[in-house]
């Protein structure tokens, strides 16, 4: 299995967060008994070097995470057995449409889950995660900082929904996600998972074949115009 195969399987993407303790502290979360989960669509998955953000988005956060890719059907699995259901792990950018926090649509958009090359044979609870934006180090953390471990997360999710081959679990981001924009180059890196670099663009089409913006510069002018709001 590789990420192109995973993309073709069109599985679900289940996100976890906030899960790393440093990020929870940054957000002022003091209740350690609850875990937040969310689902992203198969169409949010991107595996290439160019990511086309929907033109309707004016703001989005970039967040480095470790993705766990499920390798076989998992339902009501135990914590001890959970990792045996994982085909591999990969770097992921769990992009968040932060302008939609209030209406609950912040994880709904296409091409907002870029994922790098899948690797296997690593300890998922000791993976260093870094994100650079245009060459500047923005985030750095380690999965050892997770409040809820990867095996526990897989077991917990499988107690509520069946996980299938090709499903992806996003396991949480370190502190300091950054607001990004079209034209930014995002580089995710990890000694264990490799490097995944991608550039953000705006989608050139919306509502079928109707062209909306010709290039990334049009995105910025449109986001300041009154006409822009009419496409929501």
């Amino acid at each position: 299995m590789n990420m192109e195969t995973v993309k073709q399987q069109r599985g679900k993407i289940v996100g976890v967060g906030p899960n790393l303790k440093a990020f929870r502290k940054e957000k002022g979360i003091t209740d350690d008994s609850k875990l937040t989960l969310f689902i992203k669509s198969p169409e949010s998955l991107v595996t290439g070097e160019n990511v086309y953000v929907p033109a309707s988005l004016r703001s989005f956060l970039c967040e480095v995470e470790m993705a766990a890719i499920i390798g076989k059907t998992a339902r009501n699995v135990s914590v001890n057995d959970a990792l045996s259901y994982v085909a591999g792990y990969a770097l992921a950018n769990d992009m968040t449409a932060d302008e939609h926090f209030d209406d609950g649509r912040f994880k709904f958009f296409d091409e907002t889950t870029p994922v790098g090359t899948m690797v296997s044979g690593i300890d998922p609870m000791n993976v260093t995660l870094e994100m650079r934006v245009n060459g500047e180090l923005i985030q750095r953390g380690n999965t050892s900082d997770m409040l809820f471990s990867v095996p526990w997360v897989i077991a917990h999710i499988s107690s509520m929904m069946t996980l299938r081959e090709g499903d992806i679990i996003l396991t949480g981001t370190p502190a300091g996600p950054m607001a990004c924009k079209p034209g930014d180059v995002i580089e995710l890196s990890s000694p264990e998972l490799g490097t995944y670099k991608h550039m953000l663009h705006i989608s050139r089409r919306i509502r079928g074949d109707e062209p909306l913006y010709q290039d990334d510069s049009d995105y910025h002018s449109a986001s300041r115009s009154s006409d822009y709001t009419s496409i929501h």
Side-chain angles (χ1 to χ4, degrees):
M1 181 188 294
N2 57 41
M3 287 311 303
E4 285 306 313
T5 303
V6 171
K7 187 174 182 180
Q8 293 170 9
Q9 289 174 314
R10 297 176 59 81
K12 56 186 171 289
I13 300 172
V14 184
V16 177
N19 191 19
L20 273 69
K21 296 172 187 175
F23 190 35
R24 294 175 69 89
K25 181 178 180 180
E26 181 179 80
K27 292 179 68 67
I29 299 173
T30 57
D31 185 353
D32 289 343
S33 65
K34 296 180 180 179
L35 177 67
T36 299
L37 301 173
F38 56 86
I39 292 181
K40 302 179 84 171
S41 73
E43 289 76 18
S44 74
L45 178 61
V46 186
T47 56
E49 297 178 352
N50 293 291
V51 177
Y52 291 90
V53 180
S56 59
L57 289 184
R58 289 172 290 183
S59 178
F60 45 89
L61 300 175
C62 289
E63 310 171 10
V64 62
E65 304 199 11
M66 181 184 72
I69 296 92
I70 300 299
K72 58 185 179 180
T73 300
R75 183 178 182 185
N76 290 321
V77 304
S78 68
V79 173
N80 289 338
D81 292 338
L83 294 186
S84 69
Y85 291 83
V86 178
Y89 305 89
L91 288 165
N93 179 2
D94 177 20
M95 298 170 64
T96 302
D98 56 319
E99 66 184 284
H100 286 284
F101 277 135
D102 290 342
D103 61 23
R105 302 175 187 177
F106 53 95
K107 299 290 188 179
F108 271 33
F109 293 87
D110 289 350
E111 296 210 23
T112 53
T113 315
V115 178
T117 302
M118 185 172 68
V119 303
S120 58
I122 66 166
D123 176 4
M125 293 310 301
N126 188 21
V127 173
T128 297
L129 302 170
E130 293 184 349
M131 180 178 74
R132 289 173 171 81
V133 178
N134 302 324
E136 179 183 357
L137 180 63
I138 301 299
Q139 285 183 290
R140 190 177 195 278
N142 191 285
T143 57
S144 61
D145 190 43
M146 287 182 179
L147 178 62
F148 300 95
S149 72
V150 175
W152 188 94
V153 167
I154 294 171
H156 180 63
I157 294 172
S158 77
S159 72
M160 295 177 285
M161 66 170 68
T162 300
L163 295 170
R164 304 286 187 186
E165 179 182 353
D167 287 350
I168 297 173
I169 298 176
L170 303 173
T171 58
T173 191
M178 179 176 178
C180 295
K181 62 185 185 302
D184 285 345
V185 175
I186 313 301
E187 182 177 353
L188 313 179
S189 61
S190 165
E192 297 79 19
L193 300 175
T195 301
Y196 175 41
K197 183 182 290 188
H198 48 282
M199 177 177 282
L200 305 182
H201 308 270
I202 59 165
S203 177
R204 297 177 186 277
R205 297 184 182 276
I206 192 170
R207 291 181 178 171
D209 293 330
E210 178 187 358
L212 185 60
Y213 305 125
Q214 297 303 312
D215 55 41
D216 291 351
S217 63
D218 289 342
Y219 168 94
H220 300 289
S221 60
S223 68
R224 293 189 294 268
S225 73
S226 57
D227 292 340
Y228 176 83
T229 58
S230 67
I231 69 175
H232 288 282

